[in-house]
Amino acid sequence: MARKKVKLAFIKNDVSRKATYKKRKKGLMKKLSELSILCGVEICAIVSSPYDIEPDVWPSAVGVRRTLARFQSMPESDQSKNMVNQENYLSKRIQKVEEQLEKLRKENRDKEMREIMYRCLVGEKLVIKNMSSVDLYDFGRFLETNSMEIRNKIYALKKMRIYSSSNNTSKPN
Amino acid sequence: MARKKVKLAFIKNDVSRKATYKKRKKGLMKKLSELSILCGVEICAIVSSPYDIEPDVWPSAVGVRRTLARFQSMPESDQSKNMVNQENYLSKRIQKVEEQLEKLRKENRDKEMREIMYRCLVGEKLVIKNMSSVDLYDFGRFLETNSMEIRNKIYALKKMRIYSSSNNTSKPN
DNA sequence: GCAGCTATTTTTAGTGG
DNA sequence: GCCACTAAAAATAGCTG
């Protein structure tokens, strides 16, 4: 699903088949994890491939057997309260770290916008011309939400320039 | 993953949890199908949810039993060798996210320094005066490691200013 | 509750080191 | 073979009828 659309058929090329397998297995495991965490459902999966001698199992041999047991309609229940706790604990940590990440990303974006602003003030007219459309869009939004602050800033800067240029002969060269 | 980023945590709202479950189960089944077709591997999955009385299985009850039979016929030690349990999987993700965080922090630092630089160029003399000693130290290091780039930048900026100010009457006011 | 819509996020095919 | 990157493709959260 990228760069090129692939046909839904066995990939003949050994190298790319293996590469695809590894990438997609990873993605699949992530999806399994997300579904079980988001919705609190019991899932198991087994992937037997020629690339790994042993099959990959989700979430664990025990979990698989447990879910299998239910599948075969034989009641057998909770032995892994412990695991659920760990799961909760770890997903909370992920959540926390991802929140930090998100915050930092926002800050980062803001700093970028500030840099662009200053570069404009400094006279780099090309800055905006060379921005990608996505960045331009963001910059527009940034300007909207910060217009007051920026106007004040620009005003202050102009005053400073006027002051400094009337002090020393600012005649270009 | 759309309209809004969702936190990786149990969805408390019953309605949206069910909706998410149905959408994601569909997506998961599609992914399972694609992986098995593209790479010719044997996969099975079982999803037991409170929303469906019968668990959903992929690819079919027969296929599941076949894969499971193979899985169960191997010694237990082998079964758990390749186990991808929540704990391992999630801690790997945490690790990765924390790496991203670190990278972003570095970028952030860099952007701050750039902002300071531009603010200096723009004429805000007070910037440096008001910096904390820690920041000043960092800024010094930033200047050292980027001096060449900065010198070039400043040179270019000076030329631009001269050009633009000799073009339009840059008389203050 | 469910089916369809899209803005947005996430996944991934191809690529180069 | 593995990792990081990026453009393109796919999945999906929140909405609407």
Side-chain angles (χ1 to χ4, degrees):
Chain A
M1 329 171 170
R3 289 300 166 102
K4 209 184 155 196
K5 185 170 172 176
V6 296
K7 273 191 207 166
L8 188 61
F10 182 75
I11 299 170
K12 285 177 184 166
N13 182 301
D14 286 359
V15 177
S16 45
R17 187 171 64 254
K18 182 165 184 181
T20 293
Y21 171 73
K22 298 215 105 190
K23 285 190 175 187
R24 277 172 175 261
K25 176 157 68 70
K26 190 177 150 212
L28 186 63
M29 293 300 175
K30 188 173 178 208
K31 289 281 181 201
L32 286 164
S33 159
E34 287 177 352
L35 184 55
S36 77
I37 292 174
L38 290 170
C39 305
V41 298
E42 207 171 291
I43 310 183
C44 81
I46 302 174
V47 183
S48 302
S49 78
Y51 312 112
D52 311 295
I53 302 170
E54 358 243 324
D56 285 286
V57 257
W58 174 271
S60 69
V62 176
V64 167
R65 271 192 231 98
R66 191 156 66 96
T67 307
L68 169 64
R70 182 175 298 196
F71 169 64
Q72 288 168 338
S73 49
M74 296 184 64
E76 182 189 324
S77 32
D78 42 349
Q79 23 176 293
S80 52
K81 281 266 194 274
N82 198 359
M83 187 143 163
V84 172
N85 284 341
Q86 260 171 354
E87 175 192 324
N88 281 342
Y89 170 71
L90 287 173
S91 57
K92 273 196 190 113
R93 259 196 73 199
I94 282 196
Q95 200 184 317
K96 210 171 165 187
V97 177
E98 274 181 344
E99 272 163 17
Q100 288 183 349
L101 201 57
E102 194 44 45
K103 204 173 148 197
L104 215 49
R105 281 211 183 98
K106 276 212 182 89
E107 276 181 42
N108 222 318
R109 208 74 197 144
D110 196 59
K111 287 186 205 310
E112 264 170 28
M113 293 303 136
R114 269 171 207 291
E115 174 169 346
I116 290 167
M117 188 183 85
Y118 279 108
R119 287 170 75 173
C120 290
L121 288 176
V122 136
E124 289 187 71
K125 302 287 193 298
L126 292 176
V127 172
I128 289 187
K129 220 172 216 165
N130 291 335
M131 281 164 78
S132 75
S133 57
V134 176
D135 285 342
L136 263 180
Y137 177 72
D138 279 355
F139 189 50
R141 297 224 309 198
F142 175 81
L143 286 176
E144 272 169 31
T145 54
N146 293 283
S147 55
M148 188 54 91
E149 188 201 341
I150 291 174
R151 257 195 291 269
N152 290 340
K153 183 70 92 182
I154 290 175
Y155 180 67
L157 286 169
K158 273 189 183 155
K159 275 205 347 200
M160 287 182 83
R161 276 183 168 173
I162 290 167
Y163 175 72
S164 68
S165 50
S166 55
N167 240 5
N168 34 340
T169 49
S170 74
K171 261 286 170 53
N173 199 2
Chain B
M1 326 168 175
R3 288 301 166 102
K4 209 183 156 199
K5 187 170 169 177
V6 297
K7 280 186 203 166
L8 187 60
F10 182 76
I11 299 170
K12 285 176 184 165
N13 181 301
D14 286 358
V15 177
S16 45
R17 186 172 64 255
K18 181 166 184 181
T20 293
Y21 171 73
K22 298 217 105 189
K23 285 191 175 185
R24 279 174 173 261
K25 178 159 65 71
K26 190 179 150 205
L28 185 64
M29 293 300 173
K30 188 174 177 204
K31 289 279 182 201
L32 286 164
S33 156
E34 287 177 354
L35 183 56
S36 79
I37 292 174
L38 290 171
C39 305
V41 298
E42 204 171 297
I43 311 182
C44 80
I46 304 173
V47 183
S48 301
S49 78
Y51 313 112
D52 311 294
I53 301 168
E54 306 248 331
D56 285 283
V57 288
W58 198 93
S60 67
V62 177
V64 167
R65 282 204 200 85
R66 193 157 61 96
T67 307
L68 279 171
R70 178 179 302 192
F71 173 69
Q72 286 181 321
S73 69
M74 51 202 302
E76 264 199 40
S77 54
D78 284 356
Q79 284 182 12
S80 44
K81 234 180 224 164
N82 247 42
M83 153 170 107
V84 186
N85 64 25
Q86 227 92 319
E87 193 186 334
N88 281 340
Y89 175 73
L90 288 175
S91 17
K92 268 189 195 128
R93 265 195 72 196
I94 286 189
Q95 201 184 320
K96 206 168 172 190
V97 174
E98 275 179 344
E99 274 163 17
Q100 287 184 348
L101 205 55
E102 196 42 47
K103 203 172 153 194
L104 215 47
R105 283 212 183 95
K106 280 212 179 90
E107 274 181 44
N108 225 320
R109 207 76 195 141
D110 195 60
K111 286 186 205 311
E112 266 169 26
M113 293 304 134
R114 267 171 208 291
E115 175 170 346
I116 291 166
M117 185 183 89
Y118 279 108
R119 287 170 75 173
C120 290
L121 289 175
V122 135
E124 288 187 72
K125 302 288 194 297
L126 293 175
V127 172
I128 289 186
K129 222 171 217 168
N130 291 335
M131 280 166 76
S132 75
S133 56
V134 176
D135 286 341
L136 263 179
Y137 176 74
D138 279 354
F139 189 48
R141 296 226 309 198
F142 175 80
L143 284 176
E144 272 169 30
T145 53
N146 294 283
S147 55
M148 189 53 93
E149 188 200 340
I150 293 173
R151 256 196 290 269
N152 291 339
K153 184 69 90 181
I154 291 175
Y155 180 68
L157 286 170
K158 276 188 181 155
K159 277 206 345 200
M160 286 181 86
R161 274 181 169 176
I162 290 169
Y163 175 72
S164 68
S165 50
S166 56
N167 239 6
N168 32 340
T169 49
S170 75
K171 263 287 171 57
N173 190 18

